[in-house]
Amino acid sequence: MFDSFYEFTKVCKNQAYGKKFLYETTIFRFTTPIARYTVELERYHYDIFIIKFYRTKDSKNKNKFNIITNEHNCARIILTCIRILLSVLKDYPAANFGFVGANTINSESGYVESKRNTKRFRVYKTAMENLVGEQSFHHSMDEIHSTYLMVNNKDESPMDILE
């Protein structure tokens, strides 16, 4: 299922001036046979990297992270995002990773998924458990808010991060 990914390119890195914990955001792009995607990789305090992605054509949509694309290619898209995360380890060997499994919002049908244990969260969680495992990272999650954090076992202050 998670056996191939799309080639991606780093577009730019933007410093986050005036933000207390966010240091910078690095933008990546990749293209599927159907759409172009933008990936935002935010770097926070403790070298925590949070990954977000959306179809580039939805960039001005306030719900860009909540849209189901019906591309039926989620495994390859998710693996591409994981490869982007893992590429960070070259420059930050003790990097920590996280994500939020955004709830689905379908403005056409009026459907709004609960933010608790979302479909995206369950899929991403399965991918992380199977592809990243616990040999290099401690996996921590909050199903109520559909958030997931992987604390690098090389990190010197894992309890500070988990708090």
Side-chain angles (χ1 to χ4, degrees):
M1 181 170 164
F2 292 101
D3 53 356
S4 64
F5 65 96
Y6 294 106
E7 293 297 322
F8 55 89
T9 57
K10 182 177 171 181
V11 176
C12 65
K13 185 181 284 191
N14 302 314
Q15 297 300 313
Y17 299 108
K19 304 281 184 173
K20 187 172 182 178
F21 297 107
L22 176 63
Y23 297 149
E24 64 193 16
T25 301
T26 305
I27 306 296
F28 295 86
R29 290 229 168 85
F30 66 90
T31 304
T32 71
I34 296 173
R36 180 179 223 187
Y37 284 80
T38 299
V39 178
E40 297 179 6
L41 187 61
E42 299 174 336
R43 182 173 150 245
Y44 289 88
H45 191 56
Y46 295 114
D47 285 334
I48 297 172
F49 290 83
I50 304 298
I51 192 161
K52 304 173 180 182
F53 69 95
Y54 52 89
R55 283 186 310 194
T56 303
K57 76 175 193 172
D58 296 323
S59 64
K60 298 208 185 299
N61 187 323
K62 68 178 182 172
N63 296 323
K64 64 188 169 194
F65 300 112
N66 309 87
I67 297 170
I68 295 288
T69 65
N70 292 319
E71 192 170 326
H72 306 292
N73 200 8
C74 77
R76 196 165 176 191
I77 291 168
I78 292 168
L79 184 56
T80 302
C81 291
I82 292 171
R83 295 293 292 244
I84 290 170
L85 283 177
L86 296 178
S87 73
V88 168
L89 291 171
K90 293 175 191 166
D91 295 323
Y92 300 91
N96 305 287
F97 303 119
F99 61 85
V100 176
N103 62 317
T104 299
I105 297 175
N106 185 328
S107 55
E108 292 175 14
S109 70
Y111 173 75
V112 177
E113 180 184 22
S114 165
K115 292 183 180 182
R116 181 185 187 111
N117 197 25
T118 66
K119 179 179 180 179
R120 281 184 179 87
F121 173 77
R122 294 188 307 271
V123 170
Y124 301 162
K125 174 181 176 280
T126 300
M128 295 304 169
E129 289 172 345
N130 290 302
L131 297 173
V132 178
E134 294 199 16
Q135 185 174 359
S136 299
F137 293 91
H138 169 76
H139 296 246
S140 179
M141 64 203 86
D142 175 2
E143 291 183 3
I144 294 171
H145 299 101
S146 295
T147 58
Y148 200 96
L149 180 65
M150 295 184 301
V151 178
N152 195 316
N153 290 335
K154 293 179 183 175
D155 195 285
E156 295 176 6
S157 55
M159 292 314 295
D160 291 343
I161 294 169
L162 289 171
E163 284 178 22

